[in-house]
Amino acid sequence: MTDSLAPGATIGILGGGQLGRMLSVAAARLGFRTHIFEPGANPPAGQVCDTVTTAPYEDKAALLAFADAVDLITFEFENIPTTALDILESHRPIHPNREALRVSQDRLVEKEFLQSLGLATAPFAAVDSLANLNNAIARIGTPAILKTRRFGYDGKGQVRIKTPGEAETAYASMADAPSILEGFVDFSREISVIGARNSDGAVSCFDPGENIHNDGILHTTTVPAQISNALRTDAVLLAGRILNALDYVGVLGVELFVTDSGLIVNEIAPRVHNSGHWTQNGCVIDQFEQHIRAVSGWPLGDGQRHSDVEMLNLIGEDITMVPALAKERNAAIHLYGKADVKPGRKMGHVNRLLSKP
Amino acid sequence: MTDSLAPGATIGILGGGQLGRMLSVAAARLGFRTHIFEPGANPPAGQVCDTVTTAPYEDKAALLAFADAVDLITFEFENIPTTALDILESHRPIHPNREALRVSQDRLVEKEFLQSLGLATAPFAAVDSLANLNNAIARIGTPAILKTRRFGYDGKGQVRIKTPGEAETAYASMADAPSILEGFVDFSREISVIGARNSDGAVSCFDPGENIHNDGILHTTTVPAQISNALRTDAVLLAGRILNALDYVGVLGVELFVTDSGLIVNEIAPRVHNSGHWTQNGCVIDQFEQHIRAVSGWPLGDGQRHSDVEMLNLIGEDITMVPALAKERNAAIHLYGKADVKPGRKMGHVNRLLSKP
């Protein structure tokens, strides 16, 4: 911990949503102050941090003042404008690094990066025109999914193409955004690995969780995933390969499809990840503290879990389940302090402890 | 949960030290905002709460504005001035109630209350003069401890009397504060029970922890305590009796001596308690969330633990142990964000997970 951040230092966090909120609490637990930079008013993280800057990412003066006020910078989301990163990076260290952001901000670049590591992905093709798309469909087949290369999350910015005849409508819905066609993957399960790497190059992964999505949004993560030990090992090794290739510092989420021919990487997220929320009640050191430890140059937790957990997201009106959940034994409720309930909005989650591992 | 506080409401907390800090984080986890009232500048809780009021307890306008800004009031320490409570209570509900504060603010009243419940205490006598003290020593014997009736904590405001000849010096050190002489108790262990009661009258206790004090300050709490099941049951029933007698709402700490003739109540604290910090890493719902649930009218957690824990306080220069502790497996570090290290100052604690129960 020679070059590590000492308690009392301030960690700047770009983004004030629920991930920033839970990062802020984890940082405080290690004695750090946190400073949130967030364009939107009343961010959830603002309720549990030391300082909030409310300003757009185009406000150079606000970015500089933020950088001056903190000791290092991290983030809760990958779609930070490049110009803002340029300004911030010239003043303070940012973890994870720019390369991780560059790769994960663009689905095409990400897939090419993964293939360069010898990892399997869905078949894919860049799409910049309807002609492109028709060629891609001819090669990859249907069903397939057309996605914007950038700024997609929780199933947004993507459209399913069931037959070649749907190509024109699908292409129009992208509104000329650079896109990628991804072929259909016949998978039996979706799992994810939450991995971490610190500046010493130490790597640590949590046990893979098994994910169920509804309408493109994560519904539950259950740990352990019902997979063989061999696949479990493959998943963890694969995450480590990605972390090392990116010279990554922080926590990274890797979503994987389990298929008859092994694991296929769906996508990576250079940040703490919804499918890692179970660690809050399953591990001594959760993904949020793991991330803070990594970016602060602290030793990493070893990822061991003390309990099996099912994490259930509370989306939109699911928040009305809270009174019933509060009566459950072994259920830890985590709410995000969001005032307005909207369909599809992540309002909180609950971690249900299952039997011990 | 008909009359329960809904997520989004604001909980006012009197006191911004580490207990207020950890209460604030627990409240946020359930979707509440927190507002800290604290006379001192830069309170530890201020780094993780929504709003801080910095004002003395004599500032009536500040107290009223605070009361108006919150939905209910709780506290992290029992020595809140009565005048402040009078003002606050006329505007907002305060949990735990005034009776619990009245009893626990005065060692003499507390001992009389405990005896009225048929619970064993150390022999004691009120001391208002040197003559009083000499009579008390003649009756109770030495060694004994002379303590101020009010405002003592962590071994402050007390002096040990080894022989009757030390009475005069001891009495002088009390500087005419109303005092109490407590007889020596020959105990084999110190344990404590963290109990909770909500407004429905539901009572829930965590498993008793075994405490080791150094120089009057808690050093470690280990769960489970090495006591018989019968004593464990006695301890929990006794805590329940106190909670019910006080019509208590919130978390209460009960310190007990284990003697050859059973349990003797040392003292009670009408708040979350240092000897309950282990619950953060041993239970799904820790003492801080349990307190927030109780005062908010939510169902209580059942107190079950998923892991055995040793809690070690980091006092003063113990904070230098953090780099080594950070390398330990199964050690959860909790720091309080205090800038200045002082001898005897509680800087943080670490919860070490032991084998599973």
Side-chain angles (χ1 to χ4, degrees):
Chain A
M1 288 174 66
T2 347
D3 293 325
S4 69
L5 205 62
T10 300
I11 296 177
I13 301 174
L14 302 172
Q18 65 268 18
L19 301 182
R21 178 180 169 99
M22 293 184 278
L23 284 170
S24 190
V25 167
R29 205 161 55 224
L30 298 185
F32 298 118
R33 290 170 184 259
T34 54
H35 186 147
I36 301 290
F37 189 102
E38 164 65 48
N42 300 319
Q47 296 164 17
V48 291
C49 71
D50 195 54
T51 311
V52 182
T53 294
T54 306
Y57 285 108
E58 294 70 38
D59 185 338
K60 187 173 173 183
L63 289 168
L64 288 174
F66 169 76
D68 280 344
V70 305
D71 294 291
L72 68 80
I73 297 170
T74 188
F75 45 84
E76 64 153 14
F77 74 119
E78 55 271 42
N79 292 320
I80 306 151
T82 305
T83 50
L85 291 169
D86 288 339
I87 293 166
L88 294 169
E89 198 179 41
S90 64
H91 282 68
R92 286 291 180 277
I94 302 183
H95 302 302
N97 61 31
R98 292 294 290 273
E99 178 62 5
L101 284 168
R102 190 186 68 80
V103 165
S104 60
Q105 282 182 346
D106 187 314
R107 292 181 192 279
L108 182 65
V109 176
E110 182 176 304
K111 287 244 178 340
E112 287 167 346
F113 162 76
L114 293 167
Q115 291 203 335
S116 77
L117 296 183
L119 304 177
T121 69
F124 65 91
V127 172
D128 295 305
S129 68
L130 181 56
N132 258 179
L133 177 57
N134 283 322
N135 287 339
I137 289 174
R139 183 163 65 81
I140 291 171
T142 53
I145 304 175
L146 185 63
K147 301 179 176 179
T148 54
R149 283 171 56 177
R150 299 173 65 92
F151 304 121
Y153 70 98
D154 284 349
K156 289 178 179 139
Q158 49 184 267
V159 58
R160 186 175 288 260
I161 299 178
K162 287 179 201 146
T163 64
E166 294 175 3
E168 191 164 349
T169 315
Y171 183 75
S173 76
M174 292 289 114
D176 288 327
S179 302
I180 180 174
L181 186 74
E182 296 183 7
F184 180 75
V185 174
D186 187 16
F187 60 87
S188 57
R189 299 173 189 279
E190 293 178 68
I191 63 170
S192 55
V193 180
I194 308 299
R197 184 174 178 277
N198 70 10
S199 50
D200 294 339
V203 166
S204 178
C205 292
F206 295 102
D207 223 9
E210 183 163 339
N211 302 325
I212 294 177
H213 287 80
N214 280 349
D215 300 327
I217 304 181
L218 184 65
H219 176 58
T220 59
T221 300
T222 306
V223 178
Q226 296 303 310
I227 54 174
S228 67
N229 281 336
L231 273 187
R232 200 180 310 275
T233 305
D234 283 353
V236 166
L237 290 176
L238 172 161
R241 202 185 300 181
I242 295 170
L243 288 163
N244 286 327
L246 293 170
D247 193 19
Y248 196 90
V249 171
V251 159
L252 176 95
V254 184
E255 291 187 25
L256 300 161
F257 295 132
V258 179
T259 75
D260 287 347
S261 52
L263 295 173
I264 286 181
V265 183
N266 179 29
E267 63 178 32
I268 62 177
R271 53 171 169 77
V272 288
H273 195 261
N274 195 165
S275 67
H277 291 359
W278 68 269
T279 58
Q280 292 174 308
N281 297 95
C283 303
V284 173
I285 292 166
D286 67 20
Q287 68 163 344
F288 301 99
E289 179 171 332
Q290 189 78 311
H291 183 77
I292 296 295
R293 281 174 171 246
V295 302
S296 304
W298 282 40
L300 298 178
D302 65 3
Q304 200 197 357
R305 76 178 191 284
H306 56 69
S307 302
D308 295 347
V309 183
E310 180 201 72
M311 188 284 308
L312 168 71
N313 266 338
L314 302 177
I315 314 271
E317 292 296 335
D318 290 348
I319 192 80
T320 58
M321 296 164 62
V322 166
L325 291 169
K327 289 181 191 159
E328 276 186 31
R329 295 182 70 225
N330 287 324
I333 296 169
H334 299 260
L335 304 181
Y336 304 154
K338 296 178 182 178
D340 301 322
V341 181
K342 293 178 191 168
R345 191 174 205 202
K346 291 178 176 171
M347 304 301 295
H349 65 274
V350 58
N351 287 329
R352 288 173 164 138
L353 258 64
L354 309 173
S355 59
K356 289 169 197 312
Chain B
M1 285 176 69
T2 347
D3 292 326
S4 68
L5 206 62
T10 300
I11 297 177
I13 301 174
L14 302 173
Q18 64 268 17
L19 301 181
R21 178 179 170 99
M22 293 184 278
L23 283 170
S24 189
V25 167
R29 205 160 57 223
L30 297 185
F32 298 117
R33 290 171 184 259
T34 54
H35 186 148
I36 301 290
F37 189 101
E38 164 64 47
N42 300 317
Q47 296 164 18
V48 291
C49 72
D50 195 54
T51 311
V52 182
T53 294
T54 306
Y57 285 107
E58 293 71 38
D59 186 336
K60 186 173 174 183
L63 289 168
L64 288 174
F66 169 77
D68 280 344
V70 305
D71 294 289
L72 68 79
I73 297 170
T74 188
F75 45 84
E76 64 154 12
F77 74 120
E78 56 271 41
N79 293 317
I80 305 153
T82 304
T83 50
L85 291 169
D86 287 339
I87 293 167
L88 295 169
E89 198 180 39
S90 63
H91 281 68
R92 287 291 181 276
I94 302 183
H95 301 302
N97 62 28
R98 292 294 290 273
E99 178 63 4
L101 283 168
R102 190 186 68 81
V103 165
S104 60
Q105 282 181 346
D106 186 315
R107 291 181 193 281
L108 182 65
V109 176
E110 182 176 306
K111 287 244 178 339
E112 286 167 346
F113 162 75
L114 294 167
Q115 289 203 335
S116 76
L117 296 182
L119 304 177
T121 69
F124 65 91
V127 172
D128 294 305
S129 68
L130 180 56
N132 259 179
L133 178 57
N134 282 322
N135 287 339
I137 290 175
R139 183 163 65 82
I140 292 170
T142 54
I145 305 175
L146 184 64
K147 300 178 177 180
T148 55
R149 283 171 56 178
R150 298 173 65 93
F151 303 122
Y153 70 98
D154 285 351
K156 287 174 181 144
Q158 47 183 270
V159 56
R160 187 176 288 260
I161 300 178
K162 287 179 202 144
T163 64
E166 293 174 4
E168 190 164 349
T169 315
Y171 183 74
S173 76
M174 291 290 113
D176 289 326
S179 303
I180 179 173
L181 186 74
E182 297 182 8
F184 180 75
V185 175
D186 188 16
F187 60 88
S188 58
R189 299 174 189 280
E190 292 178 68
I191 65 171
S192 56
V193 179
I194 309 299
R197 185 174 178 276
N198 70 10
S199 50
D200 294 338
V203 166
S204 178
C205 291
F206 295 102
D207 223 10
E210 182 163 340
N211 303 326
I212 294 176
H213 287 81
N214 280 348
D215 300 327
I217 305 181
L218 185 65
H219 177 57
T220 61
T221 299
T222 306
V223 178
Q226 297 302 309
I227 54 174
S228 67
N229 281 337
L231 272 187
R232 200 181 311 275
T233 304
D234 284 352
V236 166
L237 290 176
L238 173 161
R241 201 185 302 180
I242 295 170
L243 288 163
N244 286 326
L246 292 170
D247 193 20
Y248 196 91
V249 171
V251 159
L252 175 96
V254 183
E255 292 186 25
L256 300 160
F257 295 130
V258 178
T259 75
D260 287 347
S261 51
L263 295 172
I264 287 181
V265 184
N266 179 30
E267 62 179 33
I268 62 177
R271 52 170 169 78
V272 289
H273 195 261
N274 195 163
S275 67
H277 291 0
W278 69 269
T279 58
Q280 293 174 307
N281 297 96
C283 303
V284 173
I285 291 166
D286 67 19
Q287 68 162 346
F288 301 100
E289 179 170 334
Q290 188 78 311
H291 183 77
I292 296 297
R293 282 174 170 247
V295 302
S296 303
W298 283 40
L300 298 178
D302 66 3
Q304 201 196 357
R305 75 178 191 284
H306 55 68
S307 302
D308 296 346
V309 183
E310 180 201 73
M311 188 284 308
L312 169 70
N313 266 338
L314 302 176
I315 314 271
E317 292 295 335
D318 290 349
I319 193 78
T320 58
M321 295 163 62
V322 167
L325 291 169
K327 290 181 190 160
E328 274 187 32
R329 296 183 70 225
N330 287 324
I333 296 168
H334 300 260
L335 304 182
Y336 305 152
K338 297 179 182 178
D340 301 322
V341 180
K342 293 177 191 167
R345 192 174 202 199
K346 290 177 176 171
M347 303 301 294
H349 65 274
V350 57
N351 287 328
R352 288 173 164 136
L353 258 64
L354 310 172
S355 58
K356 286 168 200 314

